[in-house]
Amino acid sequence: MPAVPPQSGATAGQYGVTATAPRSGPPSPPSRPATPDTAAPARRTAWAEGVDRLRAAATTEPGRLRLIGAVLALLVVAFGTVTAWQMTERSSAADDVLHSSQPLSAGAADIYRSLADANTAASSGFLAGGQESADTRDRYEKDIRTAAQGLITAAANSDPGSPSTDTIAKLNKLLPEYKGLIERARANNRQGYPLGGAYLRYANEKMQQQMLPAAEELYKRENARLSADYSDAKPYPWAAIGLGVLALGGLFWAQRRHYHRTNRVLNQGLVAATAASAVVLLWLVVGHSVARAGLNSSYDHGVRSLNVLHDARIASLKARGNENLTLVSRGAETKQVSATEVMDLYDYDFQQDMKTLTKGLTLAEGLADDTAGKKPVEAATANMKVWKSRHQEARTADDAGDYQGALNKVIGSAADKPTGECFDGVDTNLAAALTHEESEFKQAAGNGRDAMSGLPAGAAVLAVLAAAGALLGIGRRLSEYR
């Protein structure tokens, strides 16, 4: 039978015939089943999933209790941590005030005083000429050694490359130059050469215009460091206090909630946590307030008085040196003080120094807060008044051409009633006042530092105990659901 062609619409497979179409190129990939035209949902972050779990947990009472316990423990631990951190910083700053910055400030003042005193001793010895006493010479040498030792100590406590280091290096360079000029002045003076006076004036100029300003600059920097340490030690730890109040508020709220839900008055764990947190907060506020009061007292009745007394003592030393140089120069140096008045330069400087001394003694007397502090200042004031009177007598004699009479009034024996006695009285009494105020400072600053002792470690330990108490209290409540 002849083959029947396939009908229209029929396929070759219907008749057992497989038609293979020719292909070109690579085989096509297998077809995939059609899917709806929708995008796959974005994958959620771990944070979002964690938030959902917390929300789910918060819908049940056990979940809410766990969340409350975690928050309370976190608050208490944060309170203890911040308290320990802030009080460690303040305690360290208070210790620096007592053992570092104030002693360095006093050391810088001692450098300044030693240099001024060495200059005074050198001029006194020069006036005595070949009659220079061993005491005067020893005093000069001691002052030079004290200044040199003070510079070594200051250099050891200064940061490399700091302005203080540069100032110390400058003074270390100038000190031997000054000593050389003084030795030349003495050598020429012993031989009766007028050149000795020129060397002494040159040495005094180096001291007054270069060395003492540099020493004063060092002194001011050390005082700035001291002020910075006070600023670090005294501010209230507001962050710790705020966290403490927040932690106590959370603990009170948790106990109130516990009471309303269980009708039980106390939860031992929460009560223990509250008590420990309250102790830390009370210790923090009271301890720091006492420390702040001690530090304020050490500054007002210690540091301020010490600064004023140091300035007054240095003014007296400079005044004595200028008084001596007035007789050394014999009018060689003058100053135009007004259109019609010319004064001896060193006598003019003496008058300015005495004004500074008068002002300093008035301030020191006002700052002294007890009889032991006032008494030496009052004695120094009385010595200063006599000094002014005797100085005027010496100037009257010198202006009248009685140089020897003026010299006797300045460095003579006790029978001559010299100004040197008055200067020694001022210096001795100011030294006694400084010793007293130094003791006052150490006691007040020590009390301030001691008030913070143990607070950082105690706060950390009590915070851990408080957190444990909070967790135990919540845990006991949770056990009722098991």
Side-chain angles (χ1 to χ4, degrees):
M1 180 179 293
V4 180
Q7 300 294 319
S8 174
T11 63
Q14 291 176 306
Y15 297 94
V17 179
T18 302
T20 303
R23 294 184 179 186
S24 63
S28 59
S31 61
R32 294 182 180 178
T35 58
D37 190 15
T38 58
R43 186 173 180 178
R44 305 191 68 207
T45 63
W47 172 259
E49 292 178 355
V51 170
D52 286 345
R53 290 193 191 98
L54 287 175
R55 286 176 180 169
T59 59
T60 65
E61 181 62 12
R64 285 191 288 267
L65 288 173
R66 291 188 184 94
L67 186 59
I68 290 170
V71 171
L72 290 177
L74 182 62
L75 274 176
V76 172
V77 169
F79 170 43
T81 301
V82 174
T83 298
W85 165 54
Q86 290 196 309
M87 295 314 298
T88 296
E89 286 191 337
R90 283 157 178 76
S91 181
S92 177
D95 191 70
D96 286 341
V97 166
L98 183 61
H99 291 124
S100 178
S101 51
Q102 196 282 328
L104 288 173
S105 174
D110 206 33
I111 293 172
Y112 195 170
R113 185 205 62 78
S114 297
L115 291 174
D117 194 47
N119 199 48
T120 299
S123 62
S124 296
F126 186 91
L127 279 179
Q131 310 270 319
E132 181 181 7
S133 67
D135 289 343
T136 302
R137 179 78 183 191
D138 290 344
R139 181 172 179 170
Y140 167 81
E141 295 293 344
K142 181 182 177 182
D143 287 331
I144 293 296
R145 287 194 302 269
T146 300
Q149 185 60 47
L151 290 172
I152 292 172
T153 302
N157 289 278
S158 299
D159 296 328
S162 65
S164 294
T165 302
D166 295 339
T167 302
I168 293 166
K170 179 181 179 180
L171 284 169
N172 276 325
K173 178 183 177 183
L174 291 171
L175 189 58
E177 294 177 4
Y178 172 80
K179 286 182 64 180
L181 290 171
I182 292 297
E183 292 307 319
R184 291 180 186 177
R186 281 178 171 155
N188 281 276
N189 190 42
R190 281 194 296 267
Q191 298 178 52
Y193 298 152
L195 189 60
Y199 275 120
L200 184 66
R201 292 194 299 274
Y202 185 34
N204 178 73
E205 182 180 343
K206 185 178 288 291
M207 176 64 73
Q208 299 288 349
Q209 297 183 10
Q210 298 182 56
M211 298 177 70
L212 289 181
E216 184 179 10
E217 184 179 351
L218 180 64
Y219 176 47
K220 288 180 178 178
R221 286 204 185 98
E222 295 300 339
N223 271 345
R225 186 193 299 193
L226 176 60
S227 297
D229 285 338
Y230 268 108
S231 297
D232 291 339
K234 292 196 299 182
Y236 274 106
W238 292 115
I241 292 173
L243 279 171
V245 172
L246 190 61
L248 281 176
L251 288 166
F252 279 121
W253 173 83
Q255 290 175 87
R256 184 173 179 275
R257 182 181 186 277
H258 173 76
Y259 170 73
H260 282 296
R261 289 179 178 270
T262 65
N263 206 30
R264 297 170 188 165
V265 177
L266 297 176
N267 178 295
Q268 293 178 350
L270 292 177
V271 170
T274 303
S277 298
V279 168
V280 174
L281 184 59
L282 185 63
W283 189 3
L284 173 64
V285 174
V286 174
H288 189 271
S289 296
V290 173
R292 183 184 175 92
L295 290 170
N296 282 333
S297 177
S298 72
Y299 187 83
D300 293 336
H301 303 296
V303 173
R304 288 180 62 195
S305 293
L306 287 170
N307 289 342
V308 169
L309 289 169
H310 279 305
D311 291 343
R313 195 177 185 192
I314 289 167
S316 72
L317 290 166
K318 292 169 72 174
R320 179 60 176 173
N322 284 316
E323 183 178 49
N324 291 337
L325 286 166
T326 302
L327 295 177
V328 172
S329 68
R330 299 190 183 186
E333 302 283 345
T334 59
K335 180 178 181 64
Q336 187 84 33
V337 295
S338 69
T340 58
E341 184 180 6
V342 177
M343 286 185 64
D344 181 276
L345 173 63
Y346 299 109
D347 190 44
Y348 174 81
D349 289 341
F350 170 85
Q351 301 295 342
Q352 302 308 307
D353 293 331
M354 293 304 282
K355 290 179 182 178
T356 303
L357 176 59
T358 302
K359 182 180 178 181
L361 290 173
T362 302
L363 288 173
E365 188 174 350
L367 289 171
D369 60 342
D370 56 11
T371 304
K374 286 182 179 292
K375 189 174 179 180
V377 177
E378 290 172 349
T381 302
N383 292 140
M384 179 196 66
K385 292 177 179 178
V386 178
W387 184 2
K388 287 182 177 180
S389 175
R390 292 184 183 181
H391 174 80
Q392 187 56 48
E393 292 175 6
R395 295 310 311 140
T396 300
D398 192 31
D399 291 340
D402 185 5
Y403 177 79
Q404 188 60 47
L407 188 63
N408 292 338
K409 281 291 183 182
V410 174
I411 63 168
S413 63
D416 297 316
K417 297 182 179 180
T419 59
E421 286 183 349
C422 304
F423 161 72
D424 289 338
V426 170
D427 191 64
T428 300
N429 283 301
L430 286 177
L434 281 165
T435 300
H436 173 75
E437 296 301 333
E438 184 81 20
S439 175
E440 292 271 291
F441 162 79
K442 288 181 179 179
Q443 182 177 355
N447 291 340
R449 182 206 56 183
D450 292 343
M452 292 186 278
S453 296
L455 181 52
V461 171
L462 287 172
V464 171
L465 293 177
L471 292 175
L472 287 173
I474 296 296
R476 183 161 185 170
R477 180 80 176 90
L478 278 170
S479 65
E480 299 174 0
Y481 290 89
R482 295 173 186 168

